[in-house]
Amino acid sequence: MKTAHEIRPGNVIMLDGSPWVVLKTETTRSGRNAAIVKLKLKSVLLDSTTETTFKGEDKLDDIILERLDCTYSYFADPMYVFMDAEYNQYDVEAENLGDAAAYIVDGMEDICQVTFYEEKAISVELPITVSREVTYTEPSARGDTSGKVMKPATIAGGSTLSVADFVKTGDMIEIDTRTNEFKKRV
Amino acid sequence: MTHCALKAVKTTTQWDIFCCVVDNYGDIGVTWRLAKQLTNEYQINITLWVDDLNSFSHILPPLDPSLNSQKHDGVRINLWSEPLPVNYNAADVVIEAFACNLPNAVVQAMHAQHAAHKEDTSASKAPVWLNLEYLSAEAWVEGCHGLPSMQNNGLKKHFYFPGFTRNTGGLICEKDTLDQRNVWQSNSDCRRQLFSKLGLKNIDDNDTVISVFSYETSALLRLCQLWMQSDNRIHALIPKGRSLNSLQSLLPCAINDLNVGQQVVHGNLTIHILPMTDQQGYDQLLWSCDVNIVRGEDSFLRAQWAGKPFIWHIYPQEDDYHLVKLAAFMDSYCDNLSPQASKIYRSLNIAFNKEQADTAVQEWQNLDLIQPEMSLHAQQWPIYILNDADLASRLVQFVKNS
């Protein structure tokens, strides 16, 4: 069991007897510090998606399915192709990657975990931290070095996030894939 | 004010509301108002389960904390203890207020009903289970309001978020609140009589009267020091409680030794120690004051219905997250104000919350520059944010649709 707060894109959870792939997680804060977790889910058995909400401390039944360490190989629309250490290839539907798709870039060497359900690859979980190149960000406006002033930046793959003001175009940065937040400049 | 034209829910409908008292008046204040409104306006049988009847009795003086079950204003009030003091039968609607964890007996009763209905569809369905959340003006609320929360036992709970926009659960406001307020504020005798009833003496009609119900903040002390030097007389009406912790240096004795009705005079400022009142009395107090300093959720909302300028001392959260919530409300509240009024009002509220005492004093003085605009805005705001439907009417509709 995991708390809703610990659930990540790529996890598979059992709800009311059915397995669901977690595509997206969004944590917000309610009153008195309580967390609220909104999940976008895709049914493993049916071709349907749904959104649901939990208290941060709610216990969810994350099911342990077969997992393999793989690296990203290439994209063959609409499938992302991953490869294990023995060069076996596994196709994962683009939709099933959810938020993780933002960090999939050609040439990436991150070890990802591909999850299988009845021998079919159904989801991919990224490492907690990935490093990506900043492809564009405005120059520092205030010369801030504290890391508290943030500005938007685009990273390899095209997604955007807030980074510290001192980060420059071309820098490599570390990102927490659980929260999609900037961690530090590499 | 207009409300959704909803037919009353059939009188046999039974709703249970569970409330865990956290800070004496906030959670119970909100749930008690909701319970009364659902009873009065929709003829729903409400049972309000409360884990701290002593705190509840501060805002409902006739309540007897020694009783496990009693009825007030048409609402059944039960003590929520573990195990429950009375046998529990699942209601038609079960509301857990502010994400409190329901007693096992309640969840089991709901699950048993759910299982029975699966076996035999002629049996009653599982109750509609709602988590009534805290009020926030943040944008994400629209995306989470009404979403289901699928439970491992097959039950489905929905998150119900109050809010300031059409796509949220609305705001608690009884049908006649604004009309009653208008009548009250059009007759200055009402204010005089209330002050007399509360034991507040020596308040002239032209004096400035400020109600104070805040948490601790050094900004309050600095404002009081400013008010002492004011050209006109200012009265700060403060109940015994957390606000006074910030004003100890102005008091003649320990807070516990202060008496209700006692006056403490410093220059042109008179601090009056207020008695606790019931909710109707507190509404009338807010309607009668020139400015209200409020906190948390219930008094924050009632200050808005009062149609008077107010400062909101928001419940402090870890990592200063409350400032995000404060900023979200300020974005909404100041949207139609002039740039000058918006800047001053935001800055005053932020300074009060961040204990930036000098800035709070500066911006308080600047309020004079925007007073007519702020007064007009305070009057118009309630109509604008109710969006034709208050929380109770939207809640009843939500249950009907579930």
Side-chain angles (χ1 to χ4, degrees), chain A residues 62-155:
Chain A
D62 67 317
I63 50 179
I64 308 300
L65 299 172
E66 185 188 351
R67 290 172 174 228
L68 275 179
D69 285 348
C70 294
T71 53
Y72 172 62
S73 192
Y74 60 92
F75 181 60
D77 197 6
M79 310 297 266
Y80 284 90
V81 181
F82 288 79
M83 194 163 61
D84 66 15
E86 293 167 2
Y87 305 105
N88 298 308
Q89 293 192 341
Y90 307 102
D91 297 350
V92 184
E93 287 179 41
E95 188 185 11
N96 284 18
L97 265 70
D99 270 8
Y103 301 108
I104 303 294
V105 292
D106 288 339
M108 63 185 266
E109 295 175 353
D110 305 283
I111 303 297
C112 306
Q113 286 205 310
V114 175
T115 303
F116 296 83
Y117 183 78
E118 294 181 347
E119 298 181 2
K120 182 185 173 192
I122 58 165
S123 73
V124 174
E125 191 174 331
L126 292 171
I128 289 172
T129 301
V130 296
S131 297
R132 293 290 179 268
E133 182 184 357
V134 174
T135 56
Y136 181 75
T137 187
E138 293 285 343
S140 170
R142 304 176 213 178
D144 179 82
T145 57
S146 67
K148 290 181 180 172
V149 178
M150 307 296 277
K151 63 178 180 179
T154 305
I155 58 170

Side-chain angles (χ1 to χ4, degrees), chain A residues 152-177:
Chain A
T154 305
I155 58 170
S159 62
T160 58
L161 74 162
S162 290
V163 299
D165 189 54
F166 55 75
V167 170
K168 299 190 293 287
T169 299
D171 282 349
M172 293 294 289
I173 59 170
E174 282 190 359
I175 302 159
D176 187 327
T177 59

Side-chain angles (χ1 to χ4, degrees), chain A residues 37-39 50-54, chain B residues 129 141-150 156-161 398:
Chain A
V37 180
K38 180 179 171 183
L39 301 179
T50 190
E51 286 185 323
T52 183
T53 310
F54 294 97
Chain B
W129 180 6
V141 167
E142 286 194 353
C144 288
H145 170 60
L147 284 184
S149 181
M150 294 184 279
K156 191 185 282 184
K157 173 165 68 178
H158 286 86
F159 277 54
Y160 193 94
F161 284 90
F398 186 88

